């Protein structure tokens, strides 16, 4: 009797594990030249990555004509044929704010340029992602763009979603896409205070309960980047990318005054940027513990598990800040 009970329990457990498959690991690739370093290749292999979300180009406004134009298209120096490729187009919100925007023309030209890049590099894609932080004032143009683009492309379409768009979806509306990717970062203001603008648990908690009411399937994008907030006379004068605490601790021109602040001891140039004596750098970075906390908090508020966790972004500088098994640890939380 006991053996039969044990066998039934074991089979039930096995079925439960099969049904609750863990999300897969994917990465955003956000550089203008597509070519992997050794470290990047190793990360893809170690994490069994099958899909890459590659930023193909941005869309901004021409400084004189105010017409939408593509900005910094990606150039492939390596063939990505080993992966499923999802082209990502970042559209600046000011484009969608144009009162006389020809949405049909913009959708046609956007899809046409994606196709050009694909044909030139012999890439076949089944999905396209549109990245735009639309607002109440731009939502009409944005939602129409999505409708037109979806009909044109005849492909699976995903869109990036921000926390405020989840909480206030009845006002901001939901784009007609197949799925969304919740950008679980850039939660606060870039300021000279002690808060981390990339991730703030207290800010995130204000939105988490809304997830159960959001009707669109969501996958999640987690941050693995860091930067320095350059402060002079208590004012932010710039963001310095690819900067972390361990790098500054080795630089004799900077003095650590707190866990996140560094003071410029003497005026100097670093990576082409001039730092004046007594300037401050606030380092905003994401630790492994932060990523685990994000995953656990999200897991507690889900109706439906994500299919993917997409890490932003695949770059040797970012990867060197984490142990090899970090990303597998994060998806195990779901």
């Amino acid at each position: 009797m006991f053996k039969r009970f044990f066998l039934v329990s074991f089979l039930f457990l096995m079925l439960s594990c099969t049904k609750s498959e863990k999300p897969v690991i994917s990465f955003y690739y956000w550089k203008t030249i597509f070519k992997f370093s050794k470290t990047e290749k190793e990360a893809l292999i170690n994490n069994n990555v099958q899909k890459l979300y590659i930023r193909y180009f941005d869309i901004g406004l021409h400084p004189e004509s105010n017409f939408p134009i593509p900005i910094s298209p990606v150039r492939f120096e390596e063939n990505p044929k080993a992966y499923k490729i999802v082209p990502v187009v970042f559209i600046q919100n000011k484009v969608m704010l144009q009162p006389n925007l020809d949405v049909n023309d913009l959708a046609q030209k956007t899809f046409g340029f994606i196709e050009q890049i694909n044909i030139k590099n012999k890439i076949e894609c089944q999905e396209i992602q549109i990245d735009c932080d639309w607002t109440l004032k731009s939502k009409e143009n944005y939602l129409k763009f999505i409708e037109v683009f979806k009909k044109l492309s005849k492909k699976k379409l995903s869109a990036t979603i921000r926390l405020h768009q989840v909480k206030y979806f009845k006002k901001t509306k939901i784009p007609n896409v197949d799925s969304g990717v919740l950008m679980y970062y850039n939660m606060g203001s870039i300021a000279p205070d002690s808060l981390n603008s990339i991730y703030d648990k207290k800010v995130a908690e204000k939105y988490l309960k809304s997830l159960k009411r959001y009707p669109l399937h969501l996958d999640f994008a987690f941050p693995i980047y860091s930067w320095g907030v350059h402060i002079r006379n208590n004012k932010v004068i710039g963001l310095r990318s690819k900067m972390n605490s361990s790098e500054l601790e080795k630089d004799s021109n900077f003095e650590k005054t707190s866990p996140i602040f560094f003071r410029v001891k003497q005026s100097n140039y670093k990576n082409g940027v001039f730092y004046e004596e007594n300037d401050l750098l606030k380092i905003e970075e994401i630790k492994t513990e932060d990523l685990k906390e994000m995953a656990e908090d999200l897991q507690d508020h889900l109706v439906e598990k994500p299919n993917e966790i997409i890490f932003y972004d695949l770059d040797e500088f970012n990867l060197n800040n984490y142990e090899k098994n970090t990303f597998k640890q994060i998806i195990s939380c779901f």
Side-chain angles (χ1 to χ4, degrees):
M1 184 70 182
F2 176 77
K3 286 183 179 179
R4 184 181 295 174
F5 174 77
F6 177 80
L7 182 61
V8 171
S9 299
F10 178 75
L11 288 171
F12 178 78
L13 181 63
M14 289 299 291
L15 285 170
S16 300
C17 291
T18 304
K19 287 180 181 177
S20 60
E21 290 182 0
K22 299 300 177 189
V24 299
I25 297 170
S26 301
F27 283 94
Y28 279 104
Y29 191 95
W30 220 254
K31 291 178 278 193
T32 53
I33 296 175
F34 185 87
K35 187 176 183 179
F36 297 135
S37 70
K38 183 183 176 183
T39 301
E40 291 159 3
K41 284 180 181 176
E42 287 174 353
L44 294 171
I45 293 167
N46 290 340
N47 292 288
N48 193 29
V49 174
Q50 306 292 319
K51 187 192 286 189
L52 289 174
Y53 291 77
I54 301 176
R55 174 206 159 277
Y56 268 34
F57 53 92
D58 297 350
I59 298 178
L61 294 175
H62 191 281
E64 295 176 4
S65 68
N66 260 5
F67 287 145
I69 54 169
I71 299 171
S72 305
V74 68
R75 179 160 56 89
F76 287 87
E77 290 192 358
E78 187 169 326
N79 193 314
K81 64 182 179 181
Y83 304 93
K84 292 180 183 176
I85 300 303
V86 180
V88 183
V89 178
F90 172 69
I91 306 177
Q92 296 174 9
N93 188 49
K94 62 184 179 181
V95 173
M96 293 298 171
L97 285 169
Q98 293 299 295
N100 299 313
L101 180 67
D102 188 336
V103 173
N104 289 289
D105 183 63
L106 178 62
Q108 288 171 359
K109 287 179 177 175
T110 302
F111 180 61
F113 196 27
I114 293 170
E115 288 286 270
Q116 281 183 42
I117 294 172
N118 282 342
I119 291 167
K120 181 179 179 181
N121 297 283
K122 298 179 181 178
I123 296 170
E124 292 185 12
C125 72
Q126 307 303 318
E127 177 186 350
I128 295 172
Q129 186 172 107
I130 303 298
D131 180 14
C132 179
D133 188 6
W134 80 95
T135 59
L136 292 176
K137 290 183 178 179
S138 64
K139 73 175 181 181
E140 188 176 331
N141 277 339
Y142 173 73
L143 295 173
K144 184 181 176 184
F145 172 87
I146 290 293
E147 293 283 354
V148 175
F149 190 90
K150 189 173 184 180
K151 288 177 183 176
L152 272 174
S153 70
K154 298 182 175 63
K155 296 180 186 293
K156 180 184 176 185
L157 189 60
S158 58
T160 55
I161 309 290
R162 272 68 177 178
L163 282 167
H164 69 93
Q165 292 160 350
V166 169
K167 186 171 183 177
Y168 303 109
F169 74 88
K170 290 184 178 178
K171 288 184 179 179
T172 60
K173 301 302 180 184
I174 299 171
N176 182 21
V177 292
D178 299 289
S179 63
V181 177
L182 180 66
M183 316 304 278
Y184 208 63
Y185 50 87
N186 290 357
M187 297 180 180
S189 301
I190 295 165
D193 58 26
S194 60
L195 300 177
N196 189 329
S197 69
I198 299 174
Y199 168 66
D200 188 321
K201 181 180 172 69
K202 289 182 179 178
V203 172
E205 285 175 344
K206 297 176 183 178
Y207 297 91
L208 282 171
K209 290 180 181 178
S210 306
L211 283 169
K212 289 185 177 179
R213 298 192 298 270
Y214 196 69
L216 181 67
H217 172 81
L218 292 174
D219 293 314
F220 301 132
F222 283 0
I224 57 170
Y225 62 92
S226 61
W227 56 33
V229 180
H230 190 175
I231 302 162
R232 182 174 296 160
N233 299 323
N234 205 38
K235 291 182 180 178
V236 175
I237 63 170
L239 266 182
R240 310 306 175 206
S241 63
K242 296 187 181 180
M243 187 173 280
N244 57 30
S245 297
S246 59
E247 178 192 2
L248 287 182
E249 285 168 359
K250 299 171 189 172
D251 193 324
S252 60
N253 289 312
F254 296 85
E255 175 190 19
K256 192 171 188 176
T257 59
S258 84
I260 61 170
F261 282 101
F262 290 79
R263 184 183 69 84
V264 179
K265 292 166 66 177
Q266 54 194 16
S267 298
N268 69 92
Y269 279 93
K270 185 176 180 66
N271 299 328
V273 175
F274 178 69
Y275 294 95
E276 201 172 277
E277 186 178 351
N278 291 322
D279 281 0
L280 292 176
L281 274 169
K282 179 176 77 167
I283 298 300
E284 297 186 342
E285 52 195 346
I286 302 298
K287 306 288 189 183
T288 299
E289 294 73 28
D290 296 318
L291 293 172
K292 288 180 182 176
E293 185 176 79
M294 293 177 194
E296 289 165 359
D297 287 348
L298 283 166
Q299 169 63 16
D300 290 341
H301 293 85
L302 292 184
V303 172
E304 185 181 23
K305 283 192 175 185
N307 299 321
E308 293 178 76
I309 302 299
I310 314 167
F311 292 95
Y312 180 90
D313 62 322
L314 186 73
D315 185 286
E316 184 170 351
F317 181 87
N318 299 332
L319 296 171
N320 285 334
N321 295 315
Y322 302 96
E323 298 293 331
K324 286 186 177 181
N325 65 343
T326 295
F327 307 118
K328 289 178 181 177
Q329 287 179 33
I330 303 311
I331 63 167
S332 70
C333 297
F334 289 93

